[in-house]
Amino acid sequence: MDQNSGFIAAVEEAKMGAAEGGVPIGACLVSKDGKILGRGHNMRVQKGSPVLHAEMSALENSGRLPASAYEGATMFTTLSPCDMCTGACLLYKIDRVVIGENVNFMGGEELLRSRGKEVVVVDNHECKELMSTFMKEKPELWNEDIAV
Amino acid sequence: MDQNSGFIAAVEEAKMGAAEGGVPIGACLVSKDGKILGRGHNMRVQKGSPVLHAEMSALENSGRLPASAYEGATMFTTLSPCDMCTGACLLYKIDRVVIGENVNFMGGEELLRSRGKEVVVVDNHECKELMSTFMKEKPELWNEDIAV
């Protein structure tokens, strides 16, 4: 699998979230050797969950793994990760976070960099469109998701 | 309810985790007016979950809430919160984190303080005993839980 597939999977997950009437953010965790460990999308609406943001769903769907499985891994996410998802990437020592966009929301990128992680912002048009449409249509849901 | 009840509930949760053969860490989220919003314990073993640390379980069991519900809230936890749980407290703008002990593990206390949160370390003997016994009996499980 080339590394683009991880990003494509994250965008697919975001679209699934949109189609389900949820928060349209997706993520995909890819191992050092290019294997998808887990993918998922925000489940606030679908499961009534305040913890299953996209990156958390991808981690949850990866199941229990030894620390070695996360070495050299990349978390692909369609939106800049919030404090919780940033912290989860730090806990699991995920080396690289590839972010679809950080225009609609800027998360913990500075903290990730300060802890030695590689942060790549793709600035993807489709990710931006998904989020800006959602934020316009369901501002209360978005505010709840990021606790403002 | 007095504030001690939140800490007592967190310790009860940690003991439940121990009795279930899991990671013996518990947490309880208490609102500004002293109501328990949610309580829970680490569910790595019980649910095969890498994201349901104790504080995350307490948040998950609190369900979907508006940002206002977290204002002035306190997260009681039996052990110093890891990066993920620290980030979750920051996302939900939880003002105060009361920690049973930080001898067996030191988490994101400095980051919480740097973001203006009140951090209280109780240095509770029972919490220390629960963790040190667990770390001695199941080191592989503990290492998996904190990804080392």
Side-chain angles (χ1 to χ4, degrees):
Chain A
M1 191 194 87
D2 64 44
Q3 286 289 323
N4 277 337
S5 307
F7 186 67
I8 290 167
V11 176
E12 283 172 358
E13 288 288 337
K15 288 181 188 171
M16 280 187 242
E20 293 162 5
V23 180
I25 306 172
C28 181
L29 180 63
V30 175
S31 71
K32 183 169 54 178
D33 56 357
K35 186 180 159 232
I36 289 183
L37 296 172
R39 48 186 282 181
H41 51 274
N42 185 300
M43 287 298 199
R44 178 171 294 270
V45 169
Q46 297 90 325
K47 291 191 177 172
S49 172
V51 307
L52 289 177
H53 276 192
E55 298 88 332
M56 308 299 286
S57 284
L59 285 164
E60 183 74 346
N61 293 336
S62 303
R64 285 178 58 180
L65 295 170
S68 58
Y70 301 101
E71 280 169 19
T74 299
M75 178 67 83
F76 293 89
T77 175
T78 58
L79 185 69
S80 188
C82 80
D83 285 325
M84 173 174 67
C85 298
T86 296
C89 290
L90 290 172
L91 166 64
Y92 287 112
K93 303 183 181 70
I94 292 167
D95 285 323
R96 190 162 156 259
V97 182
V98 176
I99 296 166
E101 65 114 341
N102 62 8
V103 175
N104 286 302
F105 178 77
M106 171 60 89
E109 297 175 22
E110 196 181 308
L111 181 61
L112 286 168
R113 287 198 182 95
S114 77
R115 296 274 292 266
K117 309 305 176 189
E118 184 185 350
V119 177
V120 179
V121 180
V122 176
D123 197 37
N124 176 274
H125 179 71
E126 198 168 16
C127 294
K128 282 193 273 193
E129 278 294 304
L130 272 165
M131 272 311 290
S132 59
T133 301
F134 165 68
M135 289 164 74
K136 200 169 161 183
E137 287 177 355
K138 299 180 182 173
E140 303 82 6
L141 177 55
W142 173 235
N143 286 343
E144 185 191 307
D145 201 53
I146 50 162
V148 295
Chain B
M1 191 193 86
D2 65 45
Q3 288 289 322
N4 277 337
S5 306
F7 185 67
I8 291 166
V11 177
E12 284 172 357
E13 289 287 338
K15 288 181 187 170
M16 280 186 242
E20 292 162 5
V23 181
I25 307 172
C28 182
L29 180 63
V30 175
S31 71
K32 183 168 55 180
D33 58 357
K35 185 180 159 234
I36 289 182
L37 297 172
R39 49 186 282 180
H41 51 275
N42 185 300
M43 287 298 199
R44 178 170 294 270
V45 170
Q46 298 90 325
K47 291 192 176 174
S49 173
V51 307
L52 289 177
H53 276 192
E55 299 89 332
M56 308 299 286
S57 283
L59 285 165
E60 183 74 347
N61 293 335
S62 302
R64 285 177 58 180
L65 295 170
S68 58
Y70 301 100
E71 280 170 19
T74 299
M75 178 67 83
F76 293 90
T77 176
T78 58
L79 184 69
S80 188
C82 80
D83 285 323
M84 174 173 69
C85 298
T86 296
C89 290
L90 290 173
L91 167 65
Y92 287 112
K93 302 182 180 73
I94 292 166
D95 285 324
R96 191 162 156 260
V97 182
V98 177
I99 296 166
E101 65 114 340
N102 62 8
V103 175
N104 287 301
F105 178 78
M106 170 60 88
E109 296 175 23
E110 195 181 309
L111 181 61
L112 286 168
R113 288 197 181 96
S114 77
R115 296 274 293 266
K117 309 303 176 190
E118 185 184 349
V119 177
V120 180
V121 180
V122 175
D123 197 36
N124 176 273
H125 179 71
E126 198 167 17
C127 294
K128 281 190 275 194
E129 278 294 303
L130 272 165
M131 271 313 290
S132 59
T133 300
F134 165 69
M135 289 163 75
K136 200 170 161 183
E137 289 178 353
K138 300 180 182 172
E140 301 83 6
L141 178 56
W142 173 234
N143 286 343
E144 185 191 307
D145 202 52
I146 50 163
V148 294

